[in-house]
Structures are given as C-alpha cells and as structure tokens.
Amino acid sequence: FFFFFFVLFSLAIGPMPESQVTIVATTSLLLSAFILGCIAFFTPAWVVQDFEGTTQYGLLFDCKQQLYGHERRETCAPSSPPGAWQAASAFVALGLGLTLVAAVYGALTALRPRMLSPAKWVGFAAAAVLSLASLIIPAGFSSDAIGGEAYKLPDHCSVGYSYIVFIVALLVVFTAELFAMKIVCPND
C-alpha cells in the first residue's frame, strides 16, 4: 500500500534523485511488511483444522467454529501453543520490531545519510529472524491439538491464511533489503 502511494506521489511531484526514490521505496516496503506481519501475528489462522467443526490455530489465539442448528458460533481463547510455536512467536515479535526499527532508520536516512548503514543491517537482521521463525513454525505441527508430524500436517488440516500472509511479509522484507542494497551499492 505504501509503495503504491509513493509511486502516485512521485508521479505528482515529478522526478526525484534516485537515492531518494530508493529510500522511500525501502521505507514503504518495510512499513508494508510490518503491517502484514502484524496482521499475520495477531490473526488465529496459521493452521486450519476441518474436523468436527472448524478450528483455527494461531500463535496467540485458537478459535473454534461449531454449527448449532442453523447457526454458526465461534469461540476464541488464548492458545497454549507447542514449544516450537512459542519460540516462533518470540522470533516473529522480534522480527517485527526489527522491521519497524529498520523502517524508522530508512525514513531518517532522508534527513541524515549516516542512518543508512544501520537501516541496512537492522533490515537484514529482521529478514534473518523472520526467516528462522518461518522455518520453526512447521515443527509445531506435531502438537497434540493439530495431530500431525513435524513439518507435515495431517489430512484434515491445512495451512491458514495467516501463515501465507506472514510469508508474503517475509518476501516484502527481502524486497526492501534489495532496495536498501541499491542505496549502499550505488550505480556509477
């Protein structure tokens, strides 16, 4: 969203120096990744189980939908995730914090060019931490509630949209890092 807003804004005000365009693109992508990551983190749809009703497992909450007559009722409660998901939750929270800090450093680069180096390295750390989280989450599929094996879901379960949004956020962080590297290694 921020990236598209920037494109419209840059078309309206005319050409900008390449470094400014790259700074704004990096910052916009990092903010977009942060928002997508927060949506994924706080939404309980990482794993969806369709067995005796629909149960959605999240990092923080679990929700169960059951059919009572002609009415569908949903109840949500704080989850007691497996150890792998607790570790992944910590990595996701840390990665989102680092993404936000990198976005702030990226925005400050427009005012102080020396902030560029911290923006690049904090963004790299965010990408690394979020990548670790994406690798740890499937290890929690072996929990008793889900009933699968590590890295393999049972037949009655599927990956929910929260996990997919998280992976998209991770890809956006890597895209932002590509823009940041263009700032660090300018074309001659």
Side-chain angles (χ1 to χ4, degrees):
F1 172 74
F2 291 106
F3 185 71
F4 296 114
F5 175 75
F6 164 72
V7 170
L8 291 176
F9 180 72
S10 65
L11 290 174
I13 64 170
M16 296 172 68
E18 183 173 292
S19 62
Q20 290 295 325
V21 171
T22 307
I23 290 169
V24 174
T26 301
T27 304
S28 301
L29 287 169
L30 286 169
L31 284 174
S32 297
F34 175 75
I35 291 169
L36 288 171
C38 285
I39 290 169
F41 186 62
F42 292 109
T43 306
W46 288 75
V47 172
V48 178
Q49 182 181 55
D50 290 322
F51 183 71
E52 296 178 6
T54 301
T55 304
Q56 297 179 338
Y57 298 100
L59 297 179
L60 304 176
F61 299 98
D62 294 339
C63 294
K64 184 163 184 78
Q65 292 180 354
Q66 291 184 326
L67 193 61
Y68 293 100
H70 297 291
E71 186 178 322
R72 192 176 282 265
R73 294 184 188 166
E74 181 176 74
T75 56
C76 295
S79 66
S80 55
W85 280 22
Q86 291 175 358
S89 295
F91 280 124
V92 170
L94 177 62
L96 291 175
L98 290 170
T99 302
L100 185 61
V101 169
V104 169
Y105 280 151
L108 291 175
T109 300
L111 302 173
R112 295 183 179 182
R114 284 187 276 161
M115 300 304 280
L116 182 62
S117 184
K120 179 187 80 165
W121 289 109
V122 172
F124 178 77
V129 169
L130 291 173
S131 294
L132 280 172
S134 72
L135 293 173
I136 293 172
I137 289 169
F141 294 167
S142 63
S143 71
D144 292 336
I146 295 173
E149 299 174 22
Y151 300 96
K152 185 173 190 270
L153 284 171
D155 292 337
H156 61 277
C157 290
S158 61
V159 173
Y161 68 89
S162 295
Y163 189 65
I164 294 167
V165 169
F166 174 71
I167 296 300
V168 169
L170 180 60
L171 292 173
V172 172
V173 169
F174 278 111
T175 305
E177 273 300 293
L178 291 174
F179 275 97
M181 291 299 177
K182 187 175 181 182
I183 293 172
V184 173
C185 304
N187 296 332
D188 290 328

